[in-house]
Amino acid sequence: MSSISSFNLLNLDDYSCVIDRPRIPRIMTVPGIISDFDQPEIHHSNCHNSGRRIIVSNQLPVKAQLDPDTDKWVFESDPDSLVLQLKSGLRPETECVYVGSLPVEINLSDQEEVGQMLLDKFNCVPTFLPLDVLNKFYHGFCKHYLWPLFHYMLPVTRKQGVRFDRALWKAYVSANKIFADKVMEVINPDEDYVWIHDYHLMVMPTFLRKRFHRIRVGFFLHSPFPSSEIYRTLPVRDEVLRALLNCDLIGFHTFDYARHFLSCCSRMLGLDYKSKRGYIGLEYYGRTVSIKILPVGIDMGQIESVKSSSETAAKVRELSRRYEGKKVVLGVDDMDMFKGVSLKFQAFGKLLDEYPVLRGLVVLVQILNPARSRGQDVLEVESEMQTVASEVNRKFAKNGYEPIVFVTGPVSTHDKVAYYSIAECVVVNAVRDGMNLVPYKYTVSRQSNRDLDEVLLMNKPEEARKAKKSVIIVSEFIGCSPSLSGAIRVNPWNIESVTEAMYLAITMPEREKEMRHEKHYKYVSSHDVAYWAKSFDQDLERACKEHFHKRCWGVGFGLNFRVVALGPNFRKLSVEHIVSSYNKTNSRLILLDYDGTVMPRGLVDKTPSKEVISILNNLSNDPKNVVFIVSGRGKDSLGPWFDSCKKLGLSAEHGCFTRWNGDSGWESCAATVDVGWKKVALPVMEHYTEATDGSFIEPKESALVWHHAEADPDFGTWQAKELLDHLESVLANEPVIVKRGQQIVEVNPQGVSKGVVVDRLVTTMQSNGRPPDFVLCIGDDQSDEDMFEKISSSVGSGIAEVFACTVGQKPSMAKYYLDDTVDVIKMLHGLEAASTHVTRNTAFHVEMQT
């Protein structure tokens, strides 16, 4: 018999067997049918205040120990667990439920009992991963592939690390689904919020979003997010990115990590972010995925409590006697390859070599936390560390003086605070680390404390006077570095610079130490874990507030699943609906954009197909129709392409030039007479074209367009912004408008837009005694929004049937959408068939009467 959470590992998309607890039902529009589309009517004004927080992390915030007498597991809360500490930042009435794995393996027969006990006592829901899945998921994919990759280490050779293994990836996905299943057992999707932590669970949001389209999900990454050059080597890069985008809010420690994530979304998924009033957001199929940048803090209450304890005071007395007359340099690191401990030892050895006066005076105490995983890499790091330390100690040890002292774990929080309290400075020398809270804890531990001051006064008076002084040496490659403005920042690979930093810290004037300490303490005490949790929680509520005001449905299979969210009045244009309206009307205006509407954008040959020509001919031949192609393309392209469509109207260059049919000439707007501004704009565009590989200029009779679709995505966007500013500056006194479009920068005459085209055509039809009673307008980009706005605001009020339709599911002034050009052609075929049928019937009646 398998555990309740390990069933059906092969079918990653099946939720049919998840046992849900009773939930608040959604609106029932038809007896027996629950509707996802009518949910905007639900009033959820206070839901965010009453919802629980389901905190999901790889490991539960509990410690486990087997009682030898009863042979039963005994559990207690882990006060050092971040996911437990973050509750201090939530509202007092907010209930937290914790989902995660246990640090020990529980027998299958005991899982149900242990699970119930953990839920009752600690509000914890254990996942009970099968041992095989756990090993491949955590020790395999997470720690030996994903974690090194996110820390910029690529397995170029097999000796340098584990390469991508499809079996390990499947275990990672299976484990994420098990975690998602456990959330399903306890969640009330209409009220609760889910907060997922760290890289172990990056695809979990997809499973949650697939089950509940409006689920409220936040994710915080506690590790670095690598640059796109590193991340793009991940064979499942798109799946992971799309899974994260199924969240409502994604959090990062630093702007660098967020910038790398946004760059990956841009380069690999073609998504651009927008910043509005201090918030960064990605538009993803009608949903806005918010980006949060805020480093985590420490639990101030815990550190203060530990500082005040008698156990800590006793340890401080012991350490003060042991290191009397010496200056202690402290390191606190995990046993892993990225903490740079051996580099730190080399720098310390060089310090003693170059400054003999410090020999016997300065001690480097290195606290080593146990390794979080196992493998050859950990053994190699430990071996190198011991070798370097032995060399330094052998060279400089004398008369009971040992330069480098190891303190191996596990080391209690009380002992660590005691070491922080007596240390002259702390050195955090990691070559890459997500955050690292050691400098924060050191700063708070060095802050004045009455009990510790009394201990120091008795045992080490000079230390008591230093109670509010601290010096931090920090690597520039870790997440906490930007927030420590008073720290000595170093490149851990530069041994000489780390050595000089150590010497500077040891010999620094006391007043400067005080000033640096005050600056750090002010920041750390005001940006603690409660501040971080409160800020993230508030932003998660804000990111989810529109959930029940949109219609949602899922598209895609497997890990490519996503939810499309659209406004309640924005819906797909039905062929049956528009054909019905089409047949009832007698004076129709049909406006069609070209690129991206009737012709796919990805094609190299932009010439219209025979199918498109046939459709346009049949529609324009209907005497009840006025059909126009309204495009940004020049007349020299559009004219020859549509010469065979004798009754089709053309509007080129966004309305600068108009041809009413194939037999008439091109009419131009008065605004296009003066193009003297081109002499100013063209040299500027040529300069940016030369500087931006892949860009080019498209000259038009009335406009100039700079394209950067084939340039580097980031550099092209950057150059487009610069070009826009440059052109606006040099053309400030010219009668033109400079604007950005879809991978273009365009200069157009003032008073020219597709909206003006709509006005002209409607006015002309009215003056001819045929005011339109049916308008269909289809386009796909920003320039078409002018048409949609004009139709909806001024024209639409006097027309019986108005259909403004955008191509693609995205925010728009249009009230309808079609998915792609295939849908557009299918819809036009429907209108074509209706016109052909009417034409044939009319011809038949005329023939019969004759």
Side-chain angles (χ1 to χ4, degrees), residues 345 348-349 352 387-397 403-404:
F345 290 173
F348 187 71
L352 298 181
T387 300
V388 177
S390 297
E391 289 176 359
V392 173
N393 285 341
R394 185 169 57 252
K395 186 175 182 180
F396 299 108
I404 299 177

Side-chain angles (χ1 to χ4, degrees), residues 616-627:
L616 293 176
N617 262 324
N618 287 328
L619 287 174
S620 57
N621 286 335
D622 187 331
K624 296 181 180 180
N625 293 345
V626 174
V627 183

Side-chain angles (χ1 to χ4, degrees), residues 320-333:
S320 299
R321 289 192 296 267
R322 185 188 305 172
Y323 296 107
E324 187 174 358
K326 294 182 175 62
K327 294 180 180 292
V328 175
V329 176
L330 182 65
V332 182
D333 299 282

Side-chain angles (χ1 to χ4, degrees), residues 65-117:
Q65 187 175 358
L66 188 65
D67 189 333
D69 298 329
T70 61
D71 200 30
K72 297 283 186 181
W73 287 103
V74 178
F75 298 92
E76 62 177 336
S77 295
D78 182 3
D80 295 326
S81 173
L82 175 66
V83 295
L84 193 64
Q85 295 171 352
L86 67 81
K87 193 179 188 308
S88 60
L90 306 180
R91 299 182 186 89
E93 69 275 11
T94 301
E95 179 187 354
C96 288
V97 178
Y98 304 93
V99 177
S101 60
L102 287 168
V104 294
E105 185 181 358
I106 306 295
N107 290 333
L108 190 62
S109 58
D110 297 330
Q111 288 181 5
E112 186 172 348
E113 179 185 351
V114 169
Q116 189 61 49
M117 185 266 291

Side-chain angles (χ1 to χ4, degrees), residues 218-260:
F219 178 93
F220 198 94
L221 184 68
H222 294 275
S223 76
F225 195 95
S227 66
S228 60
E229 288 76 15
I230 297 294
Y231 180 80
R232 72 199 328 173
T233 64
L234 180 64
V236 290
R237 61 193 189 184
D238 286 1
E239 290 90 330
V240 172
L241 282 181
R242 291 192 185 279
L244 289 175
L245 291 172
N246 275 321
C247 294
D248 298 295
L249 177 66
I250 306 173
F252 300 92
H253 286 306
T254 71
F255 173 70
D256 275 348
Y257 302 161
R259 179 169 55 87
H260 293 158

Side-chain angles (χ1 to χ4, degrees), residues 456-520:
L456 291 171
L457 281 169
M458 290 186 294
N459 296 275
K460 208 172 182 182
E462 67 277 10
E463 280 295 332
R465 290 191 296 272
K466 298 177 185 177
K468 284 192 176 183
K469 306 181 183 97
S470 62
V471 184
I472 298 169
I473 299 173
V474 64
S475 165
E476 61 192 52
F477 300 116
I478 64 178
C480 66
S481 176
S483 63
L484 297 169
S485 57
I488 304 173
R489 296 193 180 97
V490 295
N491 174 1
W493 299 102
N494 188 338
I495 305 299
E496 289 77 12
S497 73
V498 180
T499 297
E500 290 306 311
M502 289 181 176
Y503 181 75
L504 176 62
I506 293 168
T507 59
M508 185 178 291
E510 298 300 306
R511 179 57 187 154
E512 186 173 350
K513 291 180 183 179
E514 290 179 8
M515 293 173 65
R516 289 174 183 258
H517 174 84
E518 288 171 7
K519 180 181 285 190
H520 290 158

Side-chain angles (χ1 to χ4, degrees), residues 222-329:
H222 294 275
S223 76
F225 195 95
S227 66
S228 60
E229 288 76 15
I230 297 294
Y231 180 80
R232 72 199 328 173
T233 64
L234 180 64
V236 290
R237 61 193 189 184
D238 286 1
E239 290 90 330
V240 172
L241 282 181
R242 291 192 185 279
L244 289 175
L245 291 172
N246 275 321
C247 294
D248 298 295
L249 177 66
I250 306 173
F252 300 92
H253 286 306
T254 71
F255 173 70
D256 275 348
Y257 302 161
R259 179 169 55 87
H260 293 158
F261 173 76
L262 294 171
S263 176
C264 288
C265 290
S266 172
R267 290 175 175 272
M268 296 165 207
L269 302 181
L271 302 175
D272 292 325
Y273 71 91
K274 293 182 179 179
S275 181
K276 184 177 181 181
R277 296 183 178 178
Y279 294 108
I280 301 175
L282 281 161
E283 288 296 326
Y284 187 62
Y285 291 93
R287 296 173 48 249
T288 299
V289 181
S290 298
I291 304 299
K292 176 77 173 176
I293 303 169
L294 183 66
V296 71
I298 62 171
D299 188 341
M300 290 289 294
Q302 183 202 23
I303 300 297
E304 295 291 352
S305 175
V306 170
K307 280 169 58 179
S308 303
S309 71
S310 57
E311 183 179 345
T312 303
K315 188 66 179 180
V316 169
R317 280 192 290 269
E318 176 194 334
L319 295 175
S320 299
R321 289 192 296 267
R322 185 188 305 172
Y323 296 107
E324 187 174 358
K326 294 182 175 62
K327 294 180 180 292
V328 175
V329 176

